[in-house]
Amino acid sequence: MANKDKKASLLVVEDEESLREALKLNLELEGYEVTTAETGPMALKMVRNEYFDLIVLDIMLPEMDGITVCETIRMQHNDVPILFLSARNNSADRVLGLKKGGDDYLTKPFNLEELLLRVDKLVVKNKKIKEPQSVSDVYKFDGCSIDFAAHECIGKDKQVQELSKKEAALLKLLVEHEGNVVSREQILQIVWGYNVYPTTRTIDNFILNFRKYFEEDSRNPKHFHSIRGIGYKFTA
Ligand code: CA
């Protein structure tokens, strides 16, 4: 996987400037790429447009609290790991945060080493879940074949069709996750790379091409499915 050596990308959401800067600095020293947001709405905007490996999310924020931010992110079918920060040492708060989809929780003031350990643990765990099955250079299904190394495929019409680099990369990603939905965020991260965001329509156009190549009836696809608001799925 090409993204293995890439720095993990974190979003730190904290309204207190000194703490936000301290977190950014220390996380960057650990080798992470760090983006910061001061408010909930700012964080939501960033999460919609960019892939993150983890969000460090303060609960007490102006405009919109961290728990609402987390809830909104989960409603958008985004399962990015979230580590909550809270000034309140309140177990009810902790339970609510985790119930609303947080993955871990730290109470301020926290020990920096502990925060770094927890961040590392969540990032590694998330990477493992995303580890795909390996696929050989030539993949065959339903009378079609794809040669990922040669960037070629043979579709329903039995003609050899050249694939662009991005087409080959997206096909490989979908095939590696055969039977499972690959989220738009994963596609953006792996095929387009960090911080470059094509629109959903761009991905849709790729899927339309795949249907042309590989489907008997591209209006009733058996192999390349779009799952509205979530992502895309390949079935063999
Ligand atoms: Ca705060």
Side-chain angles (χ1 to χ4, degrees):
M1 292 278 295
N3 66 322
K4 227 178 212 172
D5 300 314
K6 276 188 183 158
K7 284 183 179 181
S9 181
L10 311 188
L11 175 63
V12 171
V13 191
E14 168 63 69
D15 56 315
E16 226 174 290
E17 193 185 354
S18 56
L19 182 55
R20 187 173 65 241
E21 291 307 314
L23 285 170
K24 180 173 158 69
L25 180 83
N26 283 286
L27 288 164
E28 281 175 348
L29 286 172
E30 290 294 304
Y32 298 110
E33 206 174 86
V34 184
T35 305
T36 59
E38 291 161 44
T39 67
M42 265 173 77
L44 286 176
K45 200 175 158 201
M46 287 170 176
V47 169
R48 265 197 300 274
N49 293 325
E50 203 171 322
Y51 175 88
F52 293 103
D53 292 287
L54 173 96
I55 302 174
V56 178
L57 180 58
D58 187 29
I59 288 184
M60 298 285 276
L61 290 169
E63 293 180 53
M64 181 190 280
D65 67 80
I67 288 173
T68 308
V69 173
C70 174
E71 227 178 344
T72 310
I73 290 171
R74 294 297 183 243
M75 267 159 45
Q76 292 161 353
H77 304 283
N78 187 335
D79 55 6
V80 54
I82 292 176
L83 170 63
F84 275 122
L85 299 181
S86 173
R88 291 176 286 183
N89 191 0
N90 178 339
S91 59
D93 212 28
R94 179 192 172 97
V95 169
L96 182 63
L98 296 177
K99 250 192 194 164
K100 297 295 183 187
D103 298 271
D104 204 351
Y105 189 104
L106 265 180
T107 305
K108 294 182 200 170
F110 50 83
N111 176 305
L112 185 64
E113 284 300 310
E114 190 180 357
L115 174 103
L116 296 175
L117 279 173
R118 291 197 190 195
V119 164
D120 184 60
K121 220 173 110 187
L122 285 172
V123 169
V124 169
K125 189 173 133 199
N126 188 42
K127 281 230 160 96
K128 272 198 196 128
I129 293 168
K130 286 190 182 161
E131 209 69 51
Q133 11 172 334
S134 66
V135 169
S136 58
D137 280 348
V138 178
Y139 178 79
K140 293 191 161 89
F141 70 101
D142 196 21
C144 303
S145 77
I146 307 168
D147 187 332
F148 295 110
H151 290 184
E152 277 175 6
C153 68
I154 297 174
K156 278 286 167 203
D157 59 2
K158 303 292 168 207
Q159 302 293 311
V160 175
Q161 167 79 42
E162 254 184 66
L163 297 169
S164 72
K165 217 174 147 190
K166 288 228 179 330
E167 279 184 321
L170 180 53
L171 271 176
K172 186 148 200 247
L173 179 65
L174 293 170
V175 166
E176 282 173 340
H177 293 83
E178 201 269 316
N180 294 305
V181 178
V182 182
S183 72
R184 185 173 170 266
E185 287 75 22
Q186 269 174 287
I187 293 174
L188 295 182
Q189 179 207 10
I190 294 165
V191 179
W192 274 269
Y194 282 99
N195 303 329
V196 182
Y197 340 121
T199 61
T200 302
R201 184 172 294 177
T202 310
I203 305 176
D204 279 336
N205 286 336
F206 276 74
I207 299 294
L208 288 178
N209 281 341
F210 296 163
R211 287 182 183 151
K212 266 188 244 156
Y213 305 156
F214 302 113
E215 299 282 0
E216 202 100 51
D217 176 2
S218 56
R219 290 188 180 184
N220 292 299
K222 286 196 302 188
H223 305 296
F224 291 90
H225 313 276
S226 312
I227 319 289
R228 189 179 285 272
I230 305 178
Y232 303 86
K233 183 170 85 174
F234 167 75
T235 48

